[in-house]
Amino acid sequence: MSEVRIVGIDGLPEVGAGDDLAQLLFATGAELADGDILLVTSKVVSKAEGRLVRATDREAAIDAEAVRVVARRGRTRIVENRQGLVMAAAGVDASNTPSGTVLLLPEDPDASARTLRKRLHELTGKRVGIVITDTFGRPWRNGLTDVAIGAAGVSVLEDHRGRVDSHGNELALTVTAIADELAAAADLVKGKTSGRPVAIVRGLAHFVTEEDGDGVRPLIRPAEEDLFRLGTSEAIREAVHGRRTVRSFTAEPVDAGAVRRAVAAAITAPAPHHTTPWRFVLVESAVARTRLLDAMLSAWNRDLVELDGWDPDRVARRVRRGDVLRNAPYLVVPCLVMDGSHAYPDARRAAAEREMFVVAMGAAVENMLVTLAGEGLGTAWVSSTMFCRPTVRSALDLPASWDPMGAIAVGRPAAPAPSRPPRDPEAFYTVR
């Protein structure tokens, strides 16, 4: 039978800035043994490190500690803080602190854990592990639990991949968050109101390491692997701001399902008269794409020379912009249909009627571009099909009532988009 004991440490006095936390723990008379793991509430570490600050505005303190808003509902904010942790209010705590003050998380919880471990070894000669904890909420689950935000001398993850279960099945995905399990278990004896901020876990010495290790960094999922990094509104905002025109793609095939999901988003756009004026031609075959682009190139060359009088070099430079369509792994040709539009004998009102439908088409295209960005795909909307609509309809065998409204190149970006300074929205609106 294996046994694990969790013991709360009583007798720790109120901690103040500059206090030697290890000495205060040693003075409680708690007996430490080699292989023990100490779970320490971050609040006492922060107090010892002087992280109690004057702040009449807690929201301003959260702003100072946050680097990115992940989700927001009313006054509640889930943010990524400067320590790289995603949590409510950046860990800024206004409870159990004097009026007009807030308590910030330790500046570097891993460094705090290393310092505490070293000092306890100096005082006791024992090899222990340290986990600094804080309280987190969890997506999809009610209730709070403690998790590890700093660690030293503890294996924070246990990788079971490659092992075999009791039925002989090889485990392929299981990696256990040992430090978080320790934090949650220890909180059962620490509690939230008991005034007992430290607990000892005994019986798991095999998780205690000789070296301090990498701290909690291995527990934090990299952004590129995090499927749940953004809340709904933030995901939309991120996709909108992150949507950039991409002109160079990898050869990786595009998931046709992702494009179909983008079409489903596109057709939620507003439209006049309860119509559905959008059609999308998904050019998935190489034969169809080559036929389309060769026909368009021929039409462009003819029109630019015969109608516009351009010289061959200028024509070559202009049509070279179409290379983004030829080199992309996937093309979409959005088309406008005027079914359900009102017929007006007056040219002015007839033009306005068509403009309403064009606006609806633009909204659908933007929905598509943003959704594809959310799928991790790059896009480039190119207007060229609008200048040779009969050619496009012929090449793609489309009804005469379908008006091509450009083309969208889709693919995995070959390189990150260059940075672009944010535009000042005040330059784009007028208040009356």
Side-chain angles (χ1 to χ4, degrees):
M1 177 183 293
S2 61
E3 180 180 84
V4 175
R5 295 184 61 206
I6 306 174
V7 181
I9 296 180
D10 291 313
L12 192 72
E14 181 66 26
V15 177
D19 284 348
D20 184 340
L21 184 55
Q23 179 63 52
L24 295 177
L25 287 169
F26 181 71
T28 65
E31 299 258 346
L32 292 180
D34 282 328
D36 281 352
I37 302 173
L38 267 73
L39 286 298
V40 185
T41 301
S42 63
K43 185 168 291 190
V44 295
V45 178
S46 293
K47 288 180 177 179
E49 294 180 356
R51 298 284 282 166
L52 185 71
V53 298
R54 288 282 169 189
T56 55
D57 184 354
R58 181 170 178 254
E59 296 302 310
I62 296 171
D63 290 340
E65 291 296 299
V67 298
R68 181 176 64 88
V69 175
V70 176
R72 183 195 306 266
R73 181 165 296 176
R75 292 178 59 84
T76 300
R77 282 187 287 171
I78 308 298
V79 304
E80 180 181 347
N81 66 12
R82 293 188 293 109
Q83 292 86 351
L85 303 168
V86 176
M87 60 191 308
V92 175
D93 195 345
S95 63
N96 296 312
T97 64
S99 177
T101 65
V102 296
L103 193 63
L104 311 180
L105 290 179
E107 186 73 36
D108 183 344
D110 286 330
S112 302
R114 292 192 293 269
T115 299
L116 182 57
R117 186 188 195 216
K118 179 181 179 182
R119 182 72 176 119
L120 283 172
H121 185 266
E122 293 171 353
L123 293 171
T124 68
K126 304 301 181 182
R127 181 177 63 87
V128 299
I130 303 292
V131 176
I132 296 176
T133 72
D134 201 69
T135 302
F136 275 43
R138 299 158 299 158
W140 309 296
R141 306 280 286 188
N142 286 321
L144 306 173
T145 187
D146 266 24
V147 302
I149 67 166
V154 176
S155 298
V156 298
L157 293 173
E158 184 177 20
D159 193 345
H160 298 271
R161 291 173 296 183
R163 300 182 189 179
V164 177
D165 65 17
S166 58
H167 295 281
N169 302 307
E170 182 175 330
L171 301 176
L173 298 174
T174 304
V175 180
T176 303
I178 295 299
D180 285 345
E181 291 188 333
L182 289 167
D187 200 48
L188 294 173
V189 299
K190 288 192 300 174
K192 301 300 180 191
T193 58
S194 64
R196 188 183 297 123
V198 183
I200 301 170
V201 173
R202 184 165 293 162
L204 296 174
H206 56 287
F207 289 125
V208 177
T209 61
E210 289 292 338
E211 303 297 327
D212 286 338
D214 295 329
V216 300
R217 187 58 49 187
L219 284 167
I220 299 175
R221 193 186 303 276
E224 63 273 13
E225 297 177 10
D226 191 349
L227 298 178
F228 310 102
R229 188 170 173 81
L230 302 172
T232 302
S233 61
E234 287 70 32
I236 294 171
R237 190 178 301 114
E238 183 82 2
V240 169
H241 288 294
R243 191 212 66 74
R244 299 287 302 281
T245 295
V246 174
R247 300 187 181 278
S248 180
F249 303 94
T250 70
E252 181 182 348
V254 170
D255 174 18
V259 179
R260 284 155 174 76
R261 289 191 290 275
V263 171
I267 61 176
T268 65
H273 315 318
H274 306 288
T275 58
T276 54
W278 326 279
R279 303 293 185 271
F280 296 90
V281 184
L282 310 184
V283 185
E284 296 182 341
S285 79
V287 171
R289 178 171 59 180
T290 300
R291 183 173 63 246
L292 168 65
L293 297 179
D294 285 352
M296 288 173 58
L297 179 60
S298 177
W300 268 83
N301 277 311
R302 181 190 65 244
D303 291 347
L304 290 174
V305 172
E306 295 179 2
L307 300 180
D308 298 330
W310 288 16
D311 64 73
D313 287 342
R314 188 180 181 190
V315 171
R317 289 195 301 272
R318 181 63 182 83
V319 298
R320 196 175 298 124
R321 298 180 187 176
D323 287 350
V324 65
L325 299 179
R326 197 173 293 274
N327 296 332
Y330 198 107
L331 294 183
V332 178
V333 178
C335 295
L336 175 67
V337 297
M338 295 292 291
D339 295 349
S341 63
H342 295 172
Y344 292 103
D346 174 63
R348 178 181 54 84
R349 288 192 293 168
E353 179 76 3
R354 180 173 174 82
E355 285 175 0
M356 289 196 303
F357 279 74
V358 171
V359 168
M361 188 76 243
V365 168
E366 177 68 0
N367 281 4
M368 169 167 275
L369 298 181
V370 169
T371 302
L372 289 171
E375 296 271 1
L377 293 166
T379 57
W381 177 81
V382 180
S383 63
S384 54
T385 68
M386 300 171 68
F387 292 87
C388 53
R389 283 174 171 148
T391 299
V392 175
R393 282 192 287 259
S394 175
L396 295 177
D397 192 23
L398 304 180
S401 60
W402 289 26
D403 278 350
M405 303 294 286
I408 302 170
V410 185
R412 295 285 175 188
S419 60
R420 180 178 66 190
R423 293 168 177 157
D424 180 4
E426 291 192 7
F428 297 90
Y429 63 75
T430 299
V431 178
R432 294 287 188 263

